[in-house]
């Protein structure tokens, strides 16, 4: 799992370096107003990190916490989608400007990774909900939690990059 | 996922019975290894065929080939090859060879088959992931080949795909759908390689047999391990770069395309992107990729030379450190591909120093191979011939790198045939010799039969002389300043003097490629008709020689081997035989 | 078998090395101070790598021959020799890095220093698949460019702005002429994709990168007509994207320029 995260870090490191280089050399960079719903999304994602941590520590009766996390995760994705819609409504498209390209690229790439996390959560929570016990259950929860925390941290990083770096 | 599947729980899978589960969607690392190997075998013959067409066209540009028109109605209208077809052949030759041969066979092919057995494991850590990697790679290959048959044909932009050419459909035929498929193919390949790398690293770290410390691992395992780490870091960057390029093409973004371009009389509606950004990202992947191709070959050659010299490898520790140093330095030298690309000339100096220092661990390895041969009792088997040939071409290809690593000299040689000679020798030929050595060496293990030795030797002689005849003269073309990627030599007057060399190389290439049919015949003939192989026909020491040939489904039939010593204990004084297996506990006292 | 393999290795490598001595295919003549320095650095590298090449291949052939022959006794049991490892590691490190540092000054002279004062500026613009050379004309100033005014057929391939007076006397031609022994500064651009400006006789090569202008300089010392080739893949006509560099006596150069500015 750590290795997989290492690969994800490299992907985003490459995007970041592209971001920095592209911004540093271009004259056409226009800061975009980030939709304020992103703050709400961030709060939702942070909350989901708390719930999955709770699920990890509970061990036995973790299913409701896992379910809560998957709902929050799905809510975050929905919120991100709303943010995209708001930007579109404001006339900011993928190809409008380098900063908007990066906004869609980074949030999109993060969203795809998070979607994988949500699917894993649905799977684990679903099995746990039906009361199933399987040999690697705790390991599965731990791995999912680690991945989830990582996605959370990654989002905070990206949000910071887009907020501060996008200016 | 290491947590998801603790070491031994994962390979509880039983031997499958149905044909599809056994040979198509198999979870067995040995079957997957062979699938990779045969994919690479198909790819290498496609790649060689493309190169022959290119060589033919360089010497006889006007020759009429009716069958070519049937294959490429647009690119060879009237049966005569167009420059754009030449360039798309070149692009596809490079891409197929680099990705689907040199990355696929040594690492994914032999690594998959041999690594788990050499470390005493029953399978890879994540068998399902392993199967997935292969099938994604396979789809990637199909997508790449499909690029030939879409409107406009395969891309012209070379395997390096520099934008804006690769980003703008206006830049030429092949830059439309063909280039898009090319990017998709590489993205698939990168994703599969990432999964594969994860698998290799976890397997090496978690599944080693008892007693097999890292410093007792065969050098082959070391090279597969370090190659996987390089792959994990490098392919992630290629994947990211590919996504950016794809977005420039289909979503109208401007990551790599600057403002104010006029292509084919059309003003391009992009702004502010940087072509150099692609070059940096590409070569940050691209240079480690060179080591991804060559490192496993170095491992195989170390193993083979030690086995057939009947001597321990000279300086095992130094070899391990050299592998690690090559891996680490490999990430700091990408800028040497860009000395004249408009990058800061100051950073060129820094890249140059790092580049020249990577010659040091490479030299150490050469010294140590010669040191291993020194004082040995050499057995001239076919794998040993190819291993010795490897050392020779590795020296040749490595030394030409010393010219290209210096910015002022590279100034002249950059993008000339000198570069083509250099990387074909070191990345192409040397790696392929590694693959040949590995094939002849492990064939008995993989198929339970020996390959024909006289045919193998014949294959070696023609190939060894042939590759020097094909790629040697390219150095001289570099000296006269012959730029590479020229579809014809008629466009520039001073290239007229190169004609005899081109003719010589084309004839040499025809013969050398022809000799590969001997190999192909030997491979398939021996598979069914070869002499039966014993468990340990080469009297070698590592764990794969302690299991039947071919090994059963879970390799060790439920047993867990224990390792007592380093990998290359040959000719130990006082021992009953001239080799001691790694899992042999007895004559430990005789050794020191 | 051992003797045969050793001989083949030696002969093949000898054959590879031989043309480096006979110089059947060799660099074109060097026509600038910088070109001669590049050649010196090349020769120096050639000697160093040549010696390593010969020694390494000889050694390989020797061990193959000597330890491949039938002989009695077992192979030597040895795991290596640390002193030797240290020795050859440091020796190669010093050699290789020393070479780089030596070459550094040659690189620095062209790339770290600007063109000397009084250099003639010539703007070189690559396009699929021709070179456009622009001289500033008598006023010494290049006119502004406007991509909307680009008209290849109408004789304005660069889109020199008709409203800018500085552009009125600009000369745009497909080949380059320079006076002998005068420094020349090239301003390299491209209209479309990446190209590379390459004059073998000057040992000068520089990519022209979309979105960038890159400056390099040279001083040609020998009168003559030389070819300019494109050295970076730029599309289907890459192989025939060539032009000429004519190095002329100063008087001839003035005449050449005059003839083109009156057009």
């Amino acid at each position: 799992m750590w290795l997989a995260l290492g690969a994800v870090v490299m992907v985003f490191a490459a995007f970041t370096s592209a971001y920095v280089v592209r911004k540093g050399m271009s004259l056409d960079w226009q800061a975009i107003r980030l939709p304020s719903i992103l703050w709400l999304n961030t709060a939702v994602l942070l909350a989901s990190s708390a719930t999955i941590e709770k699920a990890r520590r509970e061990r036995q009766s973790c299913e409701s916490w896992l379910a809560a996390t998957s709902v929050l995760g799905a809510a975050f994705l929905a919120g991100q989608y709303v943010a995209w819609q708001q930007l579109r409504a404001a006339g900011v498209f993928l190809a409008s400007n380098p900063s908007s390209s990066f906004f869609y690229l980074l949030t999109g790439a993060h969203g795809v990774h998070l979607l994988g996390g949500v699917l894993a959560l649905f799977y684990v929570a679903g099995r746990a909900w039906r009361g199933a016990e399987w040999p690697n259950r705790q390991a599965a929860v731990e791995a999912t939690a680690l991945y989830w925390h990582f996605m959370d941290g990654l989002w905070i990083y990206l949000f910071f990059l887009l907020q501060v770096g996008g200016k | 996922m290491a947590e998801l599947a603790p070491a031994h729980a994962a390979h509880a899978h039983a031997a499958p019975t149905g044909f599809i589960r056994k040979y198509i969607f198999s979870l067995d690392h040995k079957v997957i290894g062979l699938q990779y190997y045969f994919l690479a075998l198909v790819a290498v013959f496609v790649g060689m065929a493309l190169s022959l067409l290119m060589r033919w066209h360089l010497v006889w540009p006007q020759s009429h080939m009716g069958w070519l028109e049937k294959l490429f109605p647009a690119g060879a209208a009237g049966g005569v090859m167009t420059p754009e077809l030449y360039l798309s052949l070149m692009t596809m030759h490079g891409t197929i060879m680099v990705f689907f041969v040199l990355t696929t066979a040594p690492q994914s092919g032999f690594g998959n088959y041999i690594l788990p057995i050499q470390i005493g494991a029953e399978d890879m850590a994540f068998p399902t992931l392993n199967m997935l990697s292969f099938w994604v790679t396979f789809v990637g290959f199909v997508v790449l080949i499909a690029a030939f048959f879409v409107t406009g044909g395969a891309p012209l932009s070379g395997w390096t795909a520099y934008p804006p050419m690769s980003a703008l459909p206006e830049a030429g035929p092949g830059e439309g759908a063909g280039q898009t498929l090319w990017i998709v193919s590489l993205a698939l390949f990168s994703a599969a390689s990432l999964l594969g790398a994860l698998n290799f690293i976890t397997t090496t770290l978690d599944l080693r047999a008892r007693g097999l410390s890292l410093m007792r691992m065969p050098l082959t395992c070391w090279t597969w391990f370090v190659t996987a780490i390089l792959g994990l870091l490098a392919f992630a960057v290629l994947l990211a770069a590919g996504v950016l390029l794809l977005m420039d093409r289909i979503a109208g973004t401007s990551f790599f395309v600057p403002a104010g371009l006029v292509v084919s009389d059309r003003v391009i509606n992009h702004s502010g992107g940087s072509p150099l950004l692609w070059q940096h990202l590409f070569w940050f992947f691209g240079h480690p990729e060179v080591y991804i191709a060559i490192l496993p070959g170095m491992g195989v050659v170390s193993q083979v030379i030690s086995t057939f010299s009947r001597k321990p490898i000279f300086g095992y520790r130094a070899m391990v450190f050299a592998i690690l140093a090559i891996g680490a330095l490999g990430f700091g030298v990408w800028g040497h591909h860009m000395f004249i690309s408009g990058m800061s000339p100051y950073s060129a100096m820094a890249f140059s120093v790092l580049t020249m220092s990577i010659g040091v661990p490479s030299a150490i390895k050469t010294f140590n191979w010669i040191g291993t041969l020194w004082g040995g009792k050499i057995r001239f088997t076919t794998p040993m011939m190819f291993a010795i040939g490897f050392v020779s071409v590795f020296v040749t290809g490595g030394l030409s790198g010393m010219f290209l690593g210096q910015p002022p000299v590279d100034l002249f040689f950059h993008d000339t045939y000198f570069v083509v000679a250099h990387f074909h020798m070191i990345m192409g030929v040397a790696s392929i010799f590694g693959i040949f050595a590995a094939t002849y060496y492990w064939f008995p293990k993989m198929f339970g039969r020996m390959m024909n030795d006289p045919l193998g030797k014949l294959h070696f002689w023609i190939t060894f002389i042939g590759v020097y005849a094909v790629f040697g003269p390219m150095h001289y073309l570099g000296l006269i300043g012959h730029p590479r990627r020229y579809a014809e030599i008629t466009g520039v007057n001073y290239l007229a003097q190169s004609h005899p060399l081109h003719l010589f190389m084309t004839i040499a290439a025809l013969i050398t490629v022809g000799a590969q049919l001997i190999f192909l015949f030997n491979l398939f003939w021996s598979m069914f008709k070869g002499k039966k192989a014993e468990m340990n026909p080469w009297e070698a020491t590592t764990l794969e020689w302690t299991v039947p040939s071919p090994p059963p489904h879970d390799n060790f039939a439920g047993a867990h081997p224990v390792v007592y010593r380093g990998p290359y204990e040959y000719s130990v004084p006082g021992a009953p035989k001239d080799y001691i297996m790694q899992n042999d506990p007895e004559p430990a006292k005789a050794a020191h | 078998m051992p003797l045969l393999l050793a001989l083949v290795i030696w002969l093949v490598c000898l054959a590879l090395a031989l043309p480096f001595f006979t110089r059947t295919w060799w660099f074109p003549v060097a026509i600038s101070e910088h070109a001669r320095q590049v050649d010196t650095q090349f020769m120096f590298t050639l000697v160093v790598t040549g010696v390593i090449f010969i020694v390494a291949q000889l050694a390989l052939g020797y061990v193959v021959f000597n330890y491949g022959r039938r002989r009695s006794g077992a192979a030597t049991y040895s795991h290596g020799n640390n002193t030797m490892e240290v020795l050859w590691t440091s020796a190669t490190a010093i050699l290789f890095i020393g070479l780089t540092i030596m070459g550094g000054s040659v690189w620095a002279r062209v790339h770290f220093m600007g063109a000397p004062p009084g250099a003639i500026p010539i703007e070189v613009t690559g396009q699929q698949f021709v070179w456009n050379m622009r001289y500033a004309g008598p006023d010494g100033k290049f006119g502004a460019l406007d991509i909307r005014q680009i008209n290849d057929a109408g004789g304005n391939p660069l889109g020199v702005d008709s409203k800018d007076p500085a552009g009125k006397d600009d000369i745009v031609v497909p080949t380059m002429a320079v006076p002998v022994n005068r420094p020349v500064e090239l301003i390299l651009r491209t209209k479309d994709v990446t190209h590379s400006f390459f004059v073998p006789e000057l040992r000068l090569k520089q990519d022209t990168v979309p979105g960038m202008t890159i400056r390099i300089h040279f001083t040609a010392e020998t009168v003559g007509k030389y070819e300019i080739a494109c050295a970076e893949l730029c599309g289907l006509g890459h192989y025939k994207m060539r032009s000429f560099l004519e190095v002329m006596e100063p008087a001839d150069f003035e005449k050449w320029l005059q003839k083109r500015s009156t057009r």
Side-chain angles (χ1 to χ4, degrees), chain A residues 48-134:
Chain A
S48 73
S49 247
T51 52
I52 201 165
E53 185 60 20
K54 191 75 182 157
R56 195 176 68 85
R57 299 217 176 128
E58 283 288 317
R59 289 183 164 268
Q60 286 314 310
S61 53
C62 61
E63 55 271 9
S64 45
W65 288 112
L66 285 175
T69 313
S70 14
V71 170
L72 285 171
F76 173 82
L77 287 176
Q80 295 289 82
Y81 184 70
V82 172
W84 281 23
Q85 291 299 336
Q86 288 182 354
L87 276 178
R88 274 162 191 275
V92 180
F93 298 101
L94 180 58
S96 302
N97 183 271
S99 64
S100 69
S101 303
F102 273 107
F103 178 82
Y104 283 105
L105 171 77
L106 293 173
T107 53
H110 178 257
V112 169
H113 282 87
L114 199 80
L115 185 66
V118 171
L119 292 179
L121 266 175
F122 275 145
Y123 174 72
V124 177
R127 279 185 83 169
W129 197 265
R130 287 198 305 272
E133 279 294 331
W134 69 97

Side-chain angles (χ1 to χ4, degrees), chain B residues 93-428:
Chain B
H93 167 79
T95 312
I96 289 173
M97 289 302 199
V98 169
F99 293 97
F100 293 96
V101 178
L102 300 180
T103 311
T104 298
Q107 177 75 2
S108 310
F110 287 108
N112 245 315
Y113 198 105
I114 302 295
L115 173 80
I117 315 184
Q118 272 194 341
I119 64 171
E122 292 159 17
D123 204 320
M124 296 291 269
F126 313 117
T128 316
L129 206 60
N130 203 14
M131 176 186 78
L132 199 66
S133 307
F134 170 74
W135 284 105
V136 174
T137 308
F138 180 79
V139 173
F141 184 66
V142 173
V143 171
L144 185 68
I145 297 299
F148 265 129
F149 304 104
V150 293
T151 318
L156 314 181
S157 55
W159 83 283
T160 51
Y162 279 10
M165 203 172 149
S166 58
L168 303 173
E170 293 87 349
E175 293 311 305
Q179 185 78 58
T180 305
L181 286 180
W182 184 90
I183 300 171
V184 170
S185 165
L186 285 208
L188 288 172
F189 189 89
S190 304
S193 301
L194 287 177
L195 299 182
L198 277 179
N199 218 341
F200 272 75
I201 299 172
T202 315
T203 306
T204 313
L205 290 179
D206 288 354
L207 301 188
R208 293 196 312 279
R210 199 146 60 82
L212 187 64
S213 62
L214 284 175
M215 291 311 271
R216 279 180 178 174
M217 279 202 307
L219 288 170
T220 40
C221 297
W222 267 109
T223 53
W224 287 317
F225 178 55
V226 174
T227 303
I229 298 174
L230 294 183
L232 190 71
L233 302 175
F235 279 108
V237 175
L238 180 65
L239 183 59
V243 170
L244 294 176
L245 186 58
L246 201 60
M247 292 193 35
D248 269 10
R249 293 180 61 82
I250 61 178
T253 57
S254 302
F255 295 110
F256 303 127
V257 186
L261 297 189
V262 181
V263 182
S264 309
D265 294 329
R266 216 169 328 153
V267 177
I268 299 301
N269 188 25
H270 281 269
S271 67
S274 161
L276 283 194
L277 177 59
W278 166 268
Q279 295 187 21
H280 279 293
L281 290 173
F282 182 84
W283 288 117
F284 186 83
F285 145 79
H287 202 77
E289 166 62 29
V290 174
Y291 298 104
I292 290 173
I294 189 76
L295 271 176
M298 293 178 164
V300 169
V301 166
S302 307
Q303 170 103 3
V304 168
I305 287 190
S306 178
T307 304
F308 297 112
S309 300
R310 315 308 294 167
K311 267 190 70 194
I313 197 84
F314 191 96
Y316 176 86
R317 254 166 205 288
M319 288 300 241
V320 171
F321 290 139
I323 294 167
L324 292 172
I326 289 174
L329 285 171
F331 275 103
V333 300
W334 78 90
H336 69 219
H337 299 267
M338 300 170 59
F339 286 151
I340 64 153
S341 70
M343 182 182 71
S344 152
Y346 298 95
S347 50
M349 287 311 297
F351 280 123
S352 170
V353 172
L354 279 171
T355 301
M356 298 299 267
S357 18
I358 212 166
V360 176
S362 309
I364 293 176
K365 299 200 74 95
T366 309
F367 285 131
N368 284 350
W369 287 321
I370 294 179
T372 306
L373 288 163
W374 195 284
K377 255 177 106 71
I378 299 174
R379 297 178 182 174
F380 288 95
T381 58
T382 309
M384 183 61 160
M385 307 285 270
F386 274 100
I388 292 169
F390 176 100
V391 177
S392 174
V393 293
F394 183 75
V395 168
T396 307
L399 285 172
S400 58
M402 292 296 123
F403 295 89
L404 302 172
Q406 302 177 57
V409 184
D410 181 59
L411 196 63
F412 185 82
F413 285 132
H414 183 89
D415 259 324
T416 65
Y417 267 90
F418 198 87
V419 178
V420 182
H422 165 67
F423 73 74
H424 272 97
M425 270 297 188
I426 195 107
M427 187 186 185

